[in-house]
Amino acid sequence: MPSTGNIAGQQHSWPQNVGILGIEIYFPSTFVDQSELEQFDGVSAGKYTIGLGQTRMGFCTDREDIQSICLTVVQRLLEKCNVQPEEIGRLEVGTETIIDKSKSVKSTLMQLFGNNSTIEGIDTTNACYGGTAAFFNALNWVESSCWDGRYALVVAGDIAVYAKGNARPTGGAGAVAMLVGPNAPLVVERGMRGTHMEHAYDFYKPNLNSEYPVVDGKLSIQCYLNALDQCYRVYRQKSDAQAQKEGRQERFTLDNADGCVFHSPFCKLVQKSLARLLFNDFLSDPNPDYAGRYAGLEQFRERKLVDTFFDRDVEVAFLAASKKLFEQKTKESLLLATQVGNMYTPSVYGGLVSFLISKSLADLAGRRVVLFSYGSGMAASMYSLHISQDVSENSPLRRLYENLSDVRTRLESRIKVPPQLFDATMHLREETHHLSPYLCVGPVESLFPGTYYLVSVDDMHRRIYERKSLASPLCGDAMTEFVKKTVPSHQHVENVANGN
């Protein structure tokens, strides 16, 4: 169990080093290869793999929904961290995958906590930002007069699916759970938060009978980059003010961050985002080094941020100028994003997990990581974590790190399915969305051991879940049989939807 230290002695003082004590990630056991999907969709080679930077995309059959994946990731976190149900005092859920307009996902998760009904918190929704809002709520609770000394638990989860077309390859699915409390190995830097919110119709889900969003692609990119600019401006102001307060004359730049992790709608946008931050640094630098980092960029000195969201010359120039920074600070954080896809609310935290598992424990010690979270509509924040320097045996950082040691193994053990099955599965989900009564048909054998799955939905829309045994292996043959039944045509799907 992670240690929160001398909690009794902290009841009347500000809890110290509040942050992430443990973190767990869940992603589906099945994926489609993006290069094969390019061929299936009849688009040019490289459109998804190079243009978007996506390699594989995880997806769920009808056996999984938002509640099942959240049940899975929370149960795994509790088991790995050896936390007892009564030790949780707040449970926050961030998601935009809505299957009930009244009953929260959090209330469904309560079945994991036995007789402990004194758990505060509820669901939070605003596109991909809900997970960060939930995380901030948990942090605020621990640092408030309402904190009773117990842990907070944060869950961010979504199933990202799109209608056929250009947006479909930017889908994905997953969930992240985080244990929050004092004396954490990943400490949230106090007062270091830049937030930007405004009204926009860039991505939204007005049709409650469908899983698919309405997307204005160009506006969405503009909103993301504008929010990035605004959050970085406020974050730098607060960092500079803090430095001045401590007697240091220091301007925050990318050099002050060891890692930069972004919400990832698709990986190429993340690379462009780091380049965008370098452009911000360049414009605000009173004495730009034209012989070094900014060599050849003099022509862009008078450009304005607001006029350059789609300025190809600026983009290309700063992508080139930031290439080394991207390799050093951001590229490793894209492991899960390129292998699983856009997970929506857990996306930025999947980036954090990727960053952590891509380095040695010794290399992580003492690092500062800046995170940018974005949700359409729109809401965004930038904040930072400081990683503990204690890597000793049984240290909190070592325990957190070792609990993530199976992530790569799980990625490599997933089942690749042909694009035809992926397409048929999307059709199955579309036709059976909110169907009642409904008996699920996807193969349970193809799920990871210990996965919660949907059994059925009764005639009152009540959902029944079971958990696959931890001793039951992942079986690719079950998916092969499912392919034989499903791929030849969509008639099987239509029969299921019609109750035949």
Side-chain angles (χ1 to χ4, degrees):
M1 179 183 73
S3 172
T4 56
N6 183 14
I7 291 177
Q10 296 177 2
Q11 290 300 300
H12 302 292
S13 64
W14 199 307
Q16 297 299 305
N17 298 324
V18 177
I20 301 171
L21 290 154
I23 186 167
E24 174 63 11
I25 188 163
Y26 173 77
F27 42 81
S29 60
T30 52
F31 73 89
V32 62
D33 183 274
Q34 292 276 19
S35 60
E36 294 180 3
L37 192 60
E38 288 170 343
Q39 296 178 12
F40 178 77
D41 288 345
V43 301
S44 59
K47 182 173 183 178
Y48 306 157
T49 52
I50 299 175
L52 298 176
Q54 300 302 122
T55 305
R56 296 172 172 178
M57 178 167 54
F59 69 95
C60 302
T61 70
D62 64 337
R63 285 292 182 182
E64 294 184 277
D65 61 16
I66 182 56
Q67 296 186 151
S68 72
I69 66 174
C70 288
L71 284 165
T72 298
V73 77
V74 170
Q75 185 65 48
R76 287 178 61 90
L77 180 73
L78 294 175
E79 291 170 350
K80 284 188 173 183
C81 293
N82 193 26
V83 171
Q84 302 306 309
E86 62 271 15
E87 294 178 289
I88 302 298
R90 190 174 187 92
L91 174 59
E92 291 276 348
V93 177
T95 184
E96 63 172 275
T97 306
I98 308 301
I99 58 175
D100 193 292
K101 290 180 284 186
S102 177
K103 180 175 169 58
S104 66
V105 174
K106 184 268 180 76
S107 63
T108 299
L109 295 178
M110 286 301 297
Q111 63 191 293
L112 299 178
F113 295 91
N115 295 325
N116 179 16
S117 62
T118 59
I119 300 180
E120 298 183 7
I122 208 70
D123 293 7
T124 301
T125 299
N126 189 95
C128 302
Y129 185 79
T132 293
F135 182 45
F136 289 170
N137 288 344
L139 292 170
N140 293 342
W141 178 71
V142 174
E143 293 186 337
S144 76
S145 61
C146 295
W147 184 53
D148 61 7
R150 293 184 293 171
Y151 299 116
L153 200 159
V154 178
V155 192
D158 276 303
I159 297 174
V161 291
Y162 294 85
K164 280 188 176 183
N166 293 335
R168 176 160 280 187
T170 64
V176 168
M178 296 177 284
L179 196 66
V180 176
N183 305 310
L186 307 183
V187 181
V188 177
E189 293 191 294
R190 187 171 293 156
M192 297 294 295
R193 186 187 302 176
T195 292
H196 177 76
M197 298 195 182
E198 66 176 81
H199 168 63
Y201 276 118
D202 58 326
F203 169 110
Y204 50 107
K205 296 179 178 178
N207 183 0
L208 298 181
N209 293 318
S210 171
E211 290 189 287
Y212 302 145
V214 176
V215 185
D216 184 331
K218 185 175 182 179
L219 179 60
S220 186
I221 299 298
Q222 178 178 321
C223 287
Y224 182 103
L225 295 176
N226 180 52
L228 178 66
D229 291 341
Q230 299 304 322
C231 287
Y232 191 47
R233 175 182 58 82
V234 176
Y235 178 88
R236 287 188 302 175
Q237 288 174 350
K238 292 186 176 181
S239 177
D240 294 350
Q242 182 66 28
Q244 189 173 33
K245 183 178 179 181
E246 296 172 356
R248 295 179 288 113
Q249 295 301 314
E250 181 180 88
R251 292 177 55 258
F252 184 93
T253 69
L254 288 175
D255 290 332
N256 297 100
D258 299 301
C260 295
V261 177
F262 300 81
H263 168 63
S264 179
F266 52 92
C267 294
K268 199 68 174 182
L269 181 59
V270 170
Q271 187 173 1
K272 293 178 181 180
S273 295
L274 188 77
R276 184 81 181 176
L277 294 188
L278 182 62
F279 182 43
N280 274 261
D281 282 354
F282 169 68
L283 293 181
S284 63
D285 192 332
N287 298 295
D289 180 9
Y290 290 124
R293 173 170 291 177
Y294 302 125
L297 300 177
E298 296 92 335
Q299 61 181 306
F300 304 113
R301 185 63 174 174
E302 301 303 319
R303 301 289 177 93
K304 291 181 172 56
L305 289 171
V306 71
D307 297 328
T308 57
F309 296 128
F310 302 104
D311 188 319
R312 183 64 176 164
D313 293 335
V314 169
E315 179 182 294
V316 171
F318 282 88
L319 277 171
S322 64
K323 184 177 180 180
K324 185 176 180 180
L325 289 173
F326 174 73
E327 296 282 342
Q328 294 172 339
K329 301 176 185 293
T330 301
K331 186 176 181 179
E332 291 174 330
S333 72
L334 293 176
L335 172 65
L336 285 160
T338 189
Q339 288 289 321
V340 179
N342 183 7
M343 296 182 282
Y344 285 170
T345 54
S347 173
V348 67
Y349 301 101
L352 177 60
V353 169
S354 298
F355 181 85
L356 294 172
I357 67 173
S358 296
K359 296 184 179 296
S360 69
L361 188 60
D363 196 31
L364 286 174
R367 300 287 186 175
R368 184 190 207 183
V369 182
V370 174
L371 299 95
F372 174 68
S373 178
Y374 174 82
S376 293
M378 65 180 179
S381 290
M382 180 175 287
Y383 64 101
S384 49
L385 300 171
H386 186 267
I387 302 176
S388 168
Q389 296 197 48
D390 183 3
V391 296
S392 62
E393 189 175 356
N394 293 323
S395 67
L397 178 58
R398 183 175 291 274
R399 290 198 298 269
L400 180 149
Y401 184 76
E402 291 178 349
N403 281 341
L404 294 172
S405 62
D406 66 335
V407 173
R408 288 185 182 275
T409 302
R410 280 189 281 144
L411 276 175
E412 293 165 1
S413 67
R414 291 179 300 164
I415 302 167
K416 185 177 79 167
V417 299
Q420 294 88 343
L421 175 59
F422 166 71
D423 185 67
T425 301
M426 292 300 99
H427 187 74
L428 172 64
R429 292 186 65 91
E430 180 179 331
E431 293 296 322
T432 61
H433 184 62
H434 282 314
L435 194 62
S436 169
Y438 178 64
L439 182 65
C440 298
V441 298
V444 174
E445 297 85 356
S446 66
L447 301 174
F448 285 124
T451 298
Y452 279 85
Y453 61 91
L454 182 63
V455 176
S456 63
V457 183
D458 70 14
D459 57 1
M460 293 183 65
H461 291 271
R462 293 175 297 194
R463 292 172 176 255
I464 310 301
Y465 299 94
E466 292 183 5
R467 190 186 190 196
K468 183 179 177 180
S469 169
L470 288 168
S472 180
L474 180 68
C475 179
D477 291 341
M479 282 303 295
T480 301
E481 291 302 314
F482 189 57
V483 169
K484 292 178 180 178
K485 294 179 181 178
T486 310
V487 170
S489 72
H490 286 161
Q491 187 61 51
H492 172 71
V493 174
E494 294 166 356
N495 288 341
V496 171
N498 295 327
N500 297 326

